[in-house]
Amino acid sequence: MADETQRTTVGPLPSGIGQQAPSTPAALTRAVWLLWGLSLAALVGHAMTGWSPELGPLIAVDGLTVLMWTVVTFFSGIVHSYSRRYMAGSAHETRFFATVFGFTVVVMALVAANHIALFGVLWLAMGLVMAQLIGVISGWKQARAAASVARRYFLASSALLAVALTALWSATGATTISGIDAASSTLGGPVWLVAAAALVLAAMIQSALIPFQGWLLSSMTAPTPASALMHAGFVNAGGILLTRFAPVITVDPVLMLAVVGVGAASALGGKLLKSVQTDVKSKLGCSTVGQMGFMIMQAGLGFFGAAITHLILHGCYKAYQFLSSGDGVEHNSPTGEIGPREGLVGVAVTILTALAGGWLFATLTGKGAKVDSGLLLTFFVVFTTLHAARNAVTHTELPAMARYGAVPLVFFPAIVLYAVVYEGISGLLDVGTATTELTLLHGAVAVFFVGVYLAIETGIHEHSQRLYVALLNASQPPTETLVTAPEDYNEY
């Protein structure tokens, strides 16, 4: 290592006589699980009795509120419990737990906020607390730099949200989200366009969509439990923002098509960026960029219930992936992965499984039975679920032919689960669907998406050195945040 003095940030495990673990982690872990129990009770109460209290113009509890309370506290409880051992002995243990718990409380308040000023302040606070988590190891200069990068992005997102809220207040005269949504039928013109564009950009930054993925890919200095909370919870804020202001976003179908376009670009871009990564956490980060693209696409298609479903299911999956990322380092994938290179058998199984899955999803949800945006929703849900099923089966030790048969066995329960969760969530939300007619541009997006995806799967992109370098450069975080910078090491 280079000859430079660094402050010790990790202390001994509390195993000796007279040494005691700090009480804060245990107390906050119990507190967050208590919040989860209360949130679950609120969710059941809302579903059964329609319980929806209000606190003047400041707070309004609805289906989205109690659902996100339950989801956020569950993820936070898992992170708190996991971190009891992960952070044991760290000089930053108490600070870490206090920050994670504070983040949980801020998000719970955000999803209940109704007044636009309170919503804007909590949005800013959420970003600042997450930046604090990214740089929680204050003695590590790369962590401080990564926190600074994230903070700049989040301040930009908050500024855009402030512009949007101010424009909406000016156009409608309403100071609450519910009031703005109720007056959405009167929106239009330049003021609405500024507000809608600012809302979409704020959502894109918070969800790390391309070209705003820099803060997420530079956040690898965060402790792994913090990364799990970030990828399972924080990045979902973009979907929640668009859902909260769904009546504003759906005023014009052209804007919705643009939202589909930016989502598709991130879905494909995330997969391309992932293909050049060499470490587990960076691969997971690029995967999140792609998955958030799918979430934004579903919102652009007008199916906000599907966007919330996607962010919840993706959150469960990504939290598990990060908390088990240590196993991924030692894991060796079998040779002969499933893919088009293996011949027509794999292609035939994939096509037949996709068609059957599309019919099943359309039957269970009623989406995809007509030639409208619901058809594209079904297509993308089947596409993402089938891709996840193939990836899961690929990383098993089954023989290649057995894995062909295993894909439908994994895929069909997954698509049924997606449909059931989607129907349940749609019933909870006060936001309806905003189905739009299909246009040639929708078709072009779908065809382009499939074409690029197949090109990636068949490895065509690997033949271009220029593309490889471009992807590698696009996925590199700022130099000051790199944790393995060559200048930090002495070769001899």
Side-chain angles (χ1 to χ4, degrees):
M1 294 292 294
D3 293 328
E4 59 180 49
T5 303
Q6 293 188 356
R7 183 170 64 87
T8 301
T9 59
V10 178
L13 289 173
S15 57
I17 297 176
Q19 285 185 302
Q20 293 183 350
S23 59
T24 301
L28 293 181
T29 301
R30 287 192 291 269
V32 78
W33 281 117
L34 175 61
L35 286 176
W36 176 75
L38 295 174
S39 299
L40 185 61
L43 177 63
V44 173
H46 178 84
M48 296 183 65
T49 67
W51 179 77
S52 300
E54 294 185 5
L55 183 59
L58 293 178
I59 300 294
V61 175
D62 58 9
L64 179 61
T65 301
V66 293
L67 177 63
M68 297 315 301
W69 279 354
T70 307
V71 172
V72 168
T73 52
F74 176 74
F75 288 150
S76 182
I78 295 294
V79 168
H80 275 77
S81 299
Y82 182 94
S83 301
R84 291 287 303 280
R85 176 60 188 170
Y86 186 94
M87 296 297 293
S90 170
H92 305 288
E93 182 179 6
T94 299
R95 180 184 175 197
F96 173 83
F97 274 87
T99 308
V100 172
F101 187 81
F103 174 80
T104 306
V105 173
V106 168
V107 173
M108 291 182 71
L110 175 73
V111 296
N114 190 31
H115 197 284
I116 57 174
L118 178 62
F119 188 89
V121 169
L122 290 170
W123 184 272
L124 172 62
M126 178 179 64
L128 295 179
V129 174
M130 179 50 68
Q132 186 74 14
L133 268 178
I134 292 173
V136 71
I137 306 178
S138 57
W140 190 7
K141 66 179 183 179
Q142 285 89 349
R144 294 197 305 270
S148 178
V149 169
R151 195 174 295 112
R152 290 196 296 269
Y153 275 89
F154 301 153
L155 288 174
S157 174
S158 297
L160 285 166
L161 180 61
V163 169
L165 296 178
T166 302
L168 291 172
W169 167 65
S170 174
T172 64
T175 58
T176 61
I177 297 175
S178 57
I180 290 172
D181 289 346
S184 60
S185 59
T186 64
L187 292 174
V191 175
W192 163 81
L193 184 59
V194 169
L199 281 174
V200 173
L201 287 172
M204 290 175 64
I205 293 174
Q206 215 81 353
S207 293
L209 266 63
I210 292 175
F212 306 114
Q213 78 279 7
W215 74 262
L216 187 67
L217 300 183
S218 66
S219 68
M220 301 306 164
T221 57
T224 297
S227 294
L229 188 63
M230 183 193 312
H231 289 256
F234 179 81
V235 294
N236 295 327
I240 295 172
L241 178 64
L242 295 185
T243 302
R244 269 287 178 242
F245 290 92
V248 176
I249 301 299
T250 56
V251 166
D252 192 317
V254 176
L255 175 68
M256 295 178 66
L257 180 58
V259 173
V260 172
V262 298
S266 284
L268 291 172
K271 184 171 178 61
L272 282 169
L273 293 175
K274 181 181 176 182
S275 68
V276 300
Q277 303 306 309
T278 57
D279 64 279
V280 174
K281 288 185 73 173
S282 293
K283 284 181 178 289
L284 292 175
C286 293
S287 170
T288 295
V289 173
Q291 291 300 321
M292 291 300 98
F294 279 111
M295 176 189 70
I296 296 298
M297 286 174 67
Q298 291 171 330
L301 291 172
F303 297 97
F304 297 94
I308 299 299
T309 301
H310 189 87
L311 70 86
I312 291 174
L313 295 179
H314 169 261
C316 292
Y317 175 74
K318 197 52 65 72
Y320 168 77
Q321 287 289 306
F322 266 99
L323 296 182
S324 63
S325 58
D327 294 336
V329 174
E330 300 180 357
H331 182 77
N332 293 319
S333 299
T335 58
E337 294 185 350
I338 294 177
R341 295 168 181 166
E342 290 193 358
L344 295 178
V345 175
V347 174
V349 169
T350 299
I351 293 175
L352 291 175
T353 302
L355 291 174
W359 173 83
L360 184 59
F361 184 82
T363 300
L364 293 173
T365 65
K367 305 299 183 293
K370 299 179 180 179
V371 183
D372 55 21
S373 57
L375 188 62
L376 273 187
L377 172 71
T378 300
F379 170 77
F380 285 119
V381 167
V382 169
F383 195 95
T384 54
T385 308
L386 183 59
H387 177 68
R390 292 178 74 246
N391 280 345
V393 172
T394 296
H395 291 89
T396 65
E397 297 181 358
L398 293 173
M401 292 304 295
R403 277 183 270 152
Y404 290 141
V407 169
L409 295 178
V410 175
F411 169 75
F412 286 119
I415 200 71
V416 170
L417 175 64
Y418 201 115
V420 170
V421 174
Y422 168 61
E423 286 294 291
I425 289 176
S426 297
L428 277 174
L429 300 183
D430 295 331
V431 180
T433 59
T435 307
T436 59
E437 295 182 0
L438 288 183
T439 65
L440 289 177
L441 289 176
H442 284 97
V445 169
V447 171
F448 179 77
F449 188 93
V450 173
V452 174
Y453 178 85
L454 291 177
I456 298 172
E457 286 290 288
T458 53
I460 293 177
H461 69 292
E462 297 174 358
H463 300 297
S464 172
Q465 294 182 358
R466 187 183 296 255
L467 177 60
Y468 175 83
V469 172
L471 292 173
L472 202 60
N473 289 336
S475 63
Q476 290 301 305
T479 305
E480 64 271 19
T481 68
L482 291 174
V483 297
T484 56
E487 57 268 20
D488 289 344
Y489 297 88
N490 289 329
E491 186 176 357
Y492 302 105

